[in-house]
């Protein structure tokens, strides 16, 4: 379960910015909107709102950047995404992801200059913090859980994720029974299985209008909304009466005359 996410010096975020899904106080209403895992109570969904160019899309884009780099096992894919609007420019970008899996609360931290891994660590937060591994420019240091198992190799390429290395080295095939391996596999599964829908505002209006006429596409949208933890369970397609002013505006907006520039949509109606 996703708990919170912090990013800094990436895209438009010069200072650390956090998306926190944890319940701040006990929910008295809509208790079904709260789920609990590993003793952590989190909201099922959240809405990020704000004015244009305030960073809403960049928050999701920064998640997508990290996800793609981990999947490709190459931090150099992140180069060029540093925050560049301030007076003092630093090449080091930073991410932190907190999540639960298999009754454990994990925190993954990562820093890179876009060429090599500057810092990387994986921890379990319990009564005492348990360090799986820590890494900096000088190398990898194993925590006590992994240190007890001589199978884990600390050699890793400068641009690679140590998290991906233990996976590539055959963790799933060779070491399934130790406590450290089970917890590490749970962390890798949770972190790499996160799905992110990119905030793409370049979908052509006529393409969307055309696809909405296809039953399979409509069914896909319904399934997506029902399973994406958006809090929507009852979804139906309801035709808007042709005399409705809303229908007139929608038809115009979905026409080729609609203009989209810099994320701002301009349209006018007759009358």
């Amino acid at each position: 379960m996703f708990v919170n996410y912090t990013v800094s010096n990436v895209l438009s975020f010069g200072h650390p910015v956090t998306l926190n899904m944890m319940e701040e106080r006990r929910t008295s209403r809509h208790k079904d909107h709260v789920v609990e895992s590993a003793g952590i109570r989190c909201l099922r969904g959240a809405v990020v709102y704000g004015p244009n160019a305030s960073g809403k899309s960049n928050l999701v884009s920064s998640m997508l950047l990290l996800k793609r780099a981990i999947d490709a096992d190459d931090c150099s894919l992140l180069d060029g995404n540093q925050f560049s609007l301030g007076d003092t420019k630093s090449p080091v970008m930073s991410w932190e992801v907190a999540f639960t899996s298999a009754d454990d609360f994990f925190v993954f931290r990562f820093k890179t200059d876009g060429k090599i891994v500057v810092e990387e660590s994986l921890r379990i937060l319990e009564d005492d913090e348990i360090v799986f591994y820590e890494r900096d420019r000088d190398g990898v240091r194993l925590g006590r859980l992994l240190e007890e198992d001589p199978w884990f190799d600390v050699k890793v390429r400068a641009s690679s994720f140590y998290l991906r290395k233990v996976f590539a080295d055959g963790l799933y095939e060779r070491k399934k029974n130790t406590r450290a391996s089970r917890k590490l596999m749970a962390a890798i599964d949770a972190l790499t299985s996160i799905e992110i829908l990119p905030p793409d505002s370049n979908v052509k209006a006529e393409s969307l209008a055309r696809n909405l006429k296809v039953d399979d596409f409509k069914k896909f949208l319904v399934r997506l909304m029902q399973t994406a933890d958006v809090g929507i369970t009852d979804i139906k397609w309801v035709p808007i009466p042709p005399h409705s002013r809303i229908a007139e505006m929608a038809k115009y907006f979905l026409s080729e005359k609609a203009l989209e520039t810099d994320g701002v949509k301009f349209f006018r109606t007759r009358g």
Side-chain angles (χ1 to χ4, degrees):
M1 180 177 71
F2 175 78
V3 177
N4 59 53
Y5 169 81
T6 301
V7 62
S8 64
N9 201 44
V10 179
L11 299 176
S12 58
F13 305 114
H15 300 288
V17 173
T18 299
L19 172 63
N20 187 8
M21 299 296 291
M22 295 179 66
E23 181 191 33
E24 291 189 353
R25 61 178 182 271
R26 284 286 173 176
T27 303
S28 58
R29 300 171 59 190
H30 306 296
K31 294 182 180 181
D32 56 323
H33 289 184
V34 178
V35 292
E36 185 171 339
S37 175
I40 309 296
R41 291 171 58 85
C42 289
L43 303 177
R44 289 183 179 273
V47 175
V48 179
Y49 65 92
N52 290 341
S54 60
K56 302 184 299 296
S57 295
N58 277 348
L59 184 66
V60 180
S61 294
S62 69
M63 296 179 182
L64 192 60
L65 287 171
L66 179 62
K67 167 73 171 167
R68 287 172 174 168
I70 292 176
D71 288 345
D73 192 20
D74 187 359
C75 73
S76 67
L77 296 178
L78 299 168
D79 195 23
N81 290 290
Q82 289 91 339
F83 176 77
S84 59
L85 301 178
D87 295 330
T88 58
K89 297 178 176 61
S90 169
V92 178
M93 300 168 280
S94 174
W95 284 264
E96 177 179 305
V97 185
F99 56 96
T100 63
S101 181
D103 298 323
D104 287 310
F105 182 20
F106 295 94
V107 177
F108 175 73
R109 297 188 179 103
F110 173 71
K111 293 183 179 181
T112 179
D113 61 2
K115 298 177 177 60
I116 65 170
V117 175
V118 176
E119 291 181 24
E120 181 188 355
S121 67
L122 180 67
R123 292 171 166 81
I124 297 179
L125 298 185
E126 295 180 346
D127 295 333
D128 294 322
E129 185 176 82
I130 299 176
V131 178
F132 265 100
Y133 67 86
E134 293 179 312
R135 175 186 181 186
D136 56 24
R137 297 176 189 269
D138 296 326
V140 178
R141 294 176 298 280
L142 300 180
R144 67 174 186 267
L145 279 177
L146 300 189
E147 206 170 35
E148 296 169 358
D149 192 336
W151 177 78
F152 291 99
D153 185 7
V154 296
K155 296 178 181 178
V156 60
R157 288 191 302 115
S159 62
S160 292
F161 291 79
Y162 189 73
L163 191 73
R164 295 294 300 181
K165 173 182 167 50
V166 294
F167 177 83
D169 282 353
L171 171 67
Y172 283 66
E173 293 77 17
R174 298 175 56 181
K175 306 295 292 186
K176 295 184 178 180
N177 298 320
T178 67
R179 176 171 175 250
S181 295
R182 287 196 302 269
K183 290 182 178 294
L184 190 55
M185 283 189 289
I188 294 173
D189 285 341
L191 193 59
T192 58
S193 65
I194 295 174
E195 293 296 335
I196 302 168
L197 299 178
D200 188 355
S201 62
N202 296 319
V203 177
K204 291 186 179 296
E206 61 268 23
S207 173
L208 180 60
R210 188 166 55 249
N211 284 329
L212 284 175
K213 299 175 183 177
V214 181
D215 287 339
D216 287 344
F217 184 71
K218 290 201 274 191
K219 291 176 182 177
F220 162 75
L221 284 181
V222 170
R223 286 199 308 272
L224 178 65
M225 296 175 73
Q226 288 173 333
T227 59
D229 278 348
V230 296
I232 301 174
T233 56
D234 186 15
I235 304 169
K236 293 183 294 185
W237 290 97
V238 180
I240 300 176
H243 62 271
S244 169
R245 181 69 169 172
I246 297 177
E248 181 182 350
M249 293 174 65
K251 287 179 181 178
Y252 186 88
F253 179 71
L254 293 175
S255 71
E256 294 182 357
K257 296 179 181 179
L259 174 66
E260 179 173 340
T261 306
D262 295 332
V264 180
K265 300 178 179 63
F266 300 89
F267 60 94
R268 60 180 181 274
T269 57
R270 299 184 182 88

